[in-house]
Structures are given as structure tokens and as C-alpha cells.
Amino acid sequence: GAVVSQHPSRVICKSGTSVKIECRSLDFQATTMFWYRQFPKQSLMLMATSNEGSKATYEQGVEKDKFLINHASLTLSTLTVTSAHPEDSSFYICSARPRTIQGARYGYTFGSGTRLTVV
Amino acid sequence: AQKITQTQPGMFVQEKEAVTLDCTYDTSDQSYGLFWYKQPSSGEMIFLIYQGSYDEQNATEGRYSLNFQKARKSANLVISASQLGDSAMYFCAMREGREAGNMLTFGGGTRLMVKP
């Protein structure tokens, strides 16, 4: 089945530094990747949608200059948290777009998530 | 207005008993899909079950079934014969429209705790 590999699973960084999170589709081409953020004890909130070869579409309230998304190939999408601050500490998880409605019946494929802690 | 509402922040169930997790949704689209995911403490999102808006029968996947009441806009998850490993967060989600690649909108989640 479709697998999305997400790395790193956990990262601790100092305030002011940047962190890159990668999501790689291992056995299929992910034309679209969704990036979600989940604060403790809360639900998943969509941050942005990235399409291969084009600029990402950000949800309202998400700073595109702070959360840089690159989707340069059909198998790799990255999220870079720039100048991270403690309030950016969260669980970040990516999800690949199903290619067909029939495929969607089997669920969207999620990465395993990245727990970011900014100290 | 919330698109997906899960009114039970937390629930307990005795091992081997059945439990129903509530989900109501709001959409004006005729074509949509409803999903349930399980999220254990590790954080991964595990797909459980899917119901399409045009599906006439309720979806079932092993111990999971979806009680789809279209007129009421509800899509409750029923877990039969609960197991200790079922303890986790459960999220209801919706894809609006006919496009396979449309985003998912998630409810607030329900924490299920299975008692031995």
C-alpha cells in the first residue's frame, strides 16, 4: 500500500533556529501533500496544501514566510519552520492526496508525524 | 460553524463491550466522504473506515462500522467487542466535493479509554 515516510519523528531545537521536516512518498507519486499541525489535546488543523512544482496554498492565519513549503518533486515535500519559537512547538503531520475517488475510500495516507519542541 | 463536531471529548468502555463515538457534520455539498481515524499516543493516523455520501449501505470494516444517517448528517463510529488496544484518540473527518484530492477537515476528537 501507499506509504509516506516522515522525518524526523522528533526534534528539539533552540529558539531562533530553523527546522526542516521531510515527507517522502515511497511507492507512489504524491502530486499533492497536505500539511497539518496538531497542538496537544487538539485536533489536526490544515496549514497548507502543496502541489508539485507550484507554490503552496496556505490557510488563513498561517504565515507563509515562517512555514516554508517546498514540493520540488513528485515524491518529496518539505516543511521548514524558520526562526522557530516556543509557540511553534507542536506535532506536524503530512498527508498525501489520493489519486482517485476510489483510492480515497482507503483513506488518505499520512506520515508518522514530527513532534517539534522549541526551547 | 463547525464542519465536523464530535461532542464526546472522552469516553470509557468496558473491555469486550461495544461503544459508539458520535460525529455530526455540516456541508452543502451533495458529494462528500466521511472518514474515521484512530490516533494512538505515538501520533500516527490510522485509517479505520470510509463512507461515501452516495453509499446506500453503512460501511463496515471488521470490528468497526459506521452508522450513517444522512438526513441527520451524522456518521457515528461503532466499535464492537472493545479491546485494550482500542484506547486512543478517534477523529472523524470529512472530504467535501467530488475531487479525490480535496483536503480533510477534522473534528475535535474523542479520547476512548478501554477498561479491563
Side-chain angles (χ1 to χ4, degrees):
Chain A
V3 176
V4 172
S5 175
Q6 183 170 347
H7 292 282
S9 58
R10 289 179 179 272
V11 59
I12 301 173
C13 71
K14 290 186 176 180
S15 187
T17 61
S18 296
V19 173
K20 180 185 282 189
I21 301 169
E22 289 189 354
C23 276
R24 195 178 295 272
S25 56
L26 298 186
D27 51 1
F28 68 101
Q29 294 179 335
T31 54
T32 301
M33 197 75 79
F34 301 103
W35 285 94
Y36 292 87
R37 178 169 54 185
Q38 184 181 28
F39 290 110
K41 300 188 188 303
Q42 294 188 24
S43 187
L44 280 72
M45 298 298 295
L46 182 69
M47 298 175 65
T49 303
S50 76
N51 293 296
E52 184 267 337
S54 62
K55 290 185 178 180
T57 303
Y58 290 80
E59 295 299 301
Q60 192 172 9
V62 178
E63 300 173 59
K64 62 181 180 182
D65 294 331
K66 181 171 185 60
F67 299 99
L68 300 179
I69 291 175
N70 185 285
H71 197 148
S73 79
L74 288 171
T75 58
L76 178 64
S77 178
T78 61
L79 166 66
T80 301
V81 184
T82 62
S83 187
H85 290 284
E87 56 266 29
D88 299 323
S89 297
S90 187
F91 187 69
Y92 294 86
I93 191 165
C94 61
S95 172
R97 171 196 196 278
R99 283 179 284 183
T100 64
I101 281 286
Q102 290 72 27
R105 303 186 70 87
Y106 301 99
Y108 287 43
T109 303
F110 283 83
S112 53
T114 298
R115 202 166 299 278
L116 170 64
T117 303
V118 185
V119 297
Chain B
Q2 294 276 350
K3 285 188 176 287
I4 298 283
T5 303
Q6 294 179 251
T7 57
Q8 307 150 314
M11 285 195 70
F12 284 96
V13 64
Q14 198 68 40
E15 191 180 9
K16 299 181 184 176
E17 291 186 352
V19 63
T20 298
L21 306 184
D22 295 341
C23 173
T24 57
Y25 59 93
D26 182 29
T27 181
S28 56
D29 286 348
Q30 295 300 309
S31 178
Y32 53 89
L34 297 159
F35 300 77
W36 276 92
Y37 283 87
K38 172 184 178 181
Q39 187 181 43
S41 56
S42 59
E44 61 186 310
M45 295 294 285
I46 301 170
F47 168 73
L48 296 178
I49 198 165
Y50 168 85
Q51 180 85 40
S53 59
Y54 294 116
D55 293 343
E56 294 184 351
Q57 297 204 345
N58 287 343
T60 60
E61 291 285 351
R63 293 187 299 113
Y64 304 108
S65 60
L66 198 151
N67 184 0
F68 182 45
Q69 298 190 32
K70 195 169 183 177
R72 292 186 177 183
K73 293 190 174 178
S74 76
N76 298 340
L77 176 71
V78 180
I79 305 174
S80 63
S82 297
Q83 301 172 357
L84 295 178
D86 293 335
S87 294
M89 282 292 292
Y90 288 80
F91 290 99
C92 179
M94 176 173 63
R95 180 210 78 239
E96 292 180 277
R98 291 184 54 82
E99 291 296 318
N102 289 351
M103 58 174 267
L104 292 181
T105 303
F106 287 85
T110 296
R111 179 168 298 281
L112 178 66
M113 291 152 282
V114 181
K115 297 185 289 184

